Amino acid sequence: MQPHCIIVSPQQLPLPLVFEEWRSAPAFEGIYEVSNCGRVRRSATGSRTYIGRLLEPLINSANKRLYVRLTKEGKGKHVPVHRLVGIAFMSPPEPGQEINHIDGNPANNHTNNLEWVTRSENLKHAFRLGLRPSNAGEGNPRARLTNTQVLEIR
């Protein structure tokens, strides 16, 4: 159960969440911090910004994942929020591992909803939750027969 973290814009949530823990953002230590609820804020002053400013995440329209634009030494980079949370609060990933959203919601970046898995495990999880359609039978774009035609032939 994750009642302590909700996804809202920073303007809608002026007070900090009670059980929110903040850690330095990996590769951006001393500049940004990430919370166990999946929020990102400034931890250093910068051009036109201030310490504690919450960053507004960008939503990737293709995969619905949340990204933030982080800058370091004048260079900007779009970083997935779930990777920042995973690296900051969980063990570092082994080679070939990626983040899996346990509930299937890519906007839920709470630490309780994230786990490191292999690509194969992540795909199997997506099929189990129905997030990826199966390409079996007439679901395959190259299928020449429908399922009823196959049953008639058999």
Side-chain angles (χ1 to χ4, degrees):
M1 189 166 117
Q2 303 162 17
H4 308 45
C5 300
I6 51 176
I7 296 182
V8 294
S9 70
Q11 293 77 23
Q12 294 173 316
L13 193 63
L15 300 174
L17 297 170
V18 177
F19 297 103
E20 196 167 19
E21 179 185 347
W22 293 91
R23 293 187 184 172
S24 290
F28 295 90
E29 290 86 358
I31 305 170
Y32 297 97
E33 292 178 330
V34 62
S35 82
N36 61 331
C37 296
R39 299 195 307 162
V40 182
R41 70 181 181 190
R42 284 290 289 203
S43 60
T45 57
S47 175
R48 298 177 302 208
T49 189
Y50 55 90
I51 294 174
R53 178 179 169 257
L54 292 172
L55 303 185
E56 187 80 38
L58 307 168
I59 301 174
N60 183 316
S61 59
N63 59 21
K64 306 298 184 222
R65 284 177 165 65
L66 301 180
Y67 290 79
V68 287
R69 180 167 172 78
L70 305 181
T71 56
K72 184 177 182 179
E73 299 172 1
K75 295 180 182 176
K77 182 177 182 181
H78 284 96
V79 182
V81 175
H82 61 272
R83 284 203 54 92
L84 288 173
V85 174
I87 294 171
F89 288 93
M90 301 172 358
S91 61
E94 294 177 15
Q97 286 192 318
E98 54 189 48
I99 286 282
N100 178 41
H101 291 84
I102 297 169
D103 68 356
N105 178 4
N108 181 359
N109 292 311
H110 191 283
T111 52
N112 293 343
N113 187 48
L114 302 176
E115 64 181 349
W116 291 111
V117 296
T118 64
R119 179 76 175 146
S120 174
E121 291 168 334
N122 209 1
L123 287 172
K124 288 176 185 173
H125 182 258
F127 279 114
R128 273 194 311 275
L129 292 182
L131 301 174
R132 290 187 62 111
S134 174
N135 280 344
E138 61 184 271
N140 189 320
R142 298 185 70 182
R144 296 177 187 248
L145 300 173
T146 65
N147 289 342
T148 52
Q149 289 173 326
V150 170
L151 291 175
E152 288 175 11
I153 293 171
R154 290 184 181 170

